[in-house]
Amino acid sequence: MKEYPYEIKEYYSPGLNSLKRVYTKHPNFNGNTRLIYELIFDHWNAKFGYAWPTLYELARESGLSISGVKTQIQTLIKLDLIAQKKADVNGRKNNVYYLNRPVATLEEFYRKFPDVREKAEAKLRRIDDEERADKLRWGGGKEVEVVPEKDDGVESWF
């Protein structure tokens, strides 16, 4: 069982790794996109097979403006993470959202969005270059090695 830095006394909803580590490679995806996806996910109703939060609910819950929510919904549709349809919900027409399973790996992601690969890989190379430059600077001209402190997947500088 995973340990946490403090006792969690409220409902904890885990986030999908693909939204934290794969979709972030798309230039239109950001933290607000993930937030709206996760809020729609929270509103999903198993009986109906879709979610139907209003734009106002999503705005209140996320802290975004109505136009900001609409922008993020359009991004989610573009990235094929949700489908939006109109349905009769409780006697009135409302947007409903069907959740699509995100791709789980970078290879799947680049197959789905081939136009993103070049820019995303260039950005990763810039980050790698910056890391190498910092290691040289911190090591006085000699590259400093990164040694994991413990087997938790988090690297530490030594």
Side-chain angles (χ1 to χ4, degrees), residues 6 11 19 24-25 28 35 59 63 71 82 102 142 154:
Y6 53 86
Y11 176 73
L19 296 180
T24 53
K25 307 304 183 266
N28 298 118
L35 174 60
T71 297
I82 64 170
K142 182 177 169 190
V154 178

Side-chain angles (χ1 to χ4, degrees), residues 5-136:
Y6 53 86
E7 182 183 358
I8 298 173
K9 294 183 178 185
E10 61 181 304
Y11 176 73
Y12 174 73
S13 59
L16 297 170
N17 280 329
S18 57
L19 296 180
K20 293 186 273 188
R21 294 183 172 87
V22 175
Y23 280 82
T24 53
K25 307 304 183 266
H26 197 284
N28 298 118
F29 189 93
N30 61 40
N32 289 335
T33 313
R34 178 180 166 204
L35 174 60
I36 295 301
Y37 180 86
E38 290 179 347
L39 288 172
I40 292 171
F41 194 97
D42 285 349
H43 282 275
W44 183 77
N45 184 296
K47 179 180 174 185
F48 293 96
Y50 54 75
W52 66 89
T54 66
L55 295 174
Y56 307 103
E57 286 176 297
L58 292 172
R60 281 186 205 99
E61 292 172 0
S62 68
L64 299 175
S65 66
I66 299 296
S67 65
V69 170
K70 288 179 182 179
T71 297
Q72 298 311 322
I73 287 171
Q74 289 309 307
T75 299
L76 291 167
I77 292 168
K78 177 181 179 179
L79 297 177
D80 193 33
L81 288 167
I82 64 170
Q84 176 183 304
K85 307 229 187 288
K86 290 279 187 194
D88 186 351
V89 179
N90 299 324
R92 56 176 222 224
K93 290 285 185 199
N94 195 38
N95 288 327
V96 298
Y97 306 98
Y98 295 88
L99 291 140
N100 299 326
R101 180 182 303 277
V103 298
T105 67
L106 271 177
E107 281 310 310
E108 289 177 278
F109 180 77
Y110 290 143
R111 275 195 302 276
K112 191 167 189 168
F113 304 104
D115 55 317
V116 171
R117 184 178 205 132
E118 187 177 324
K119 281 187 176 182
E121 288 178 347
K123 186 174 185 178
L124 291 174
R125 282 191 300 276
R126 286 192 301 274
I127 293 168
D128 290 343
D129 291 345
E130 187 174 339
E131 181 182 30
R132 273 190 293 283
D134 283 345
K135 286 178 178 180
L136 285 170

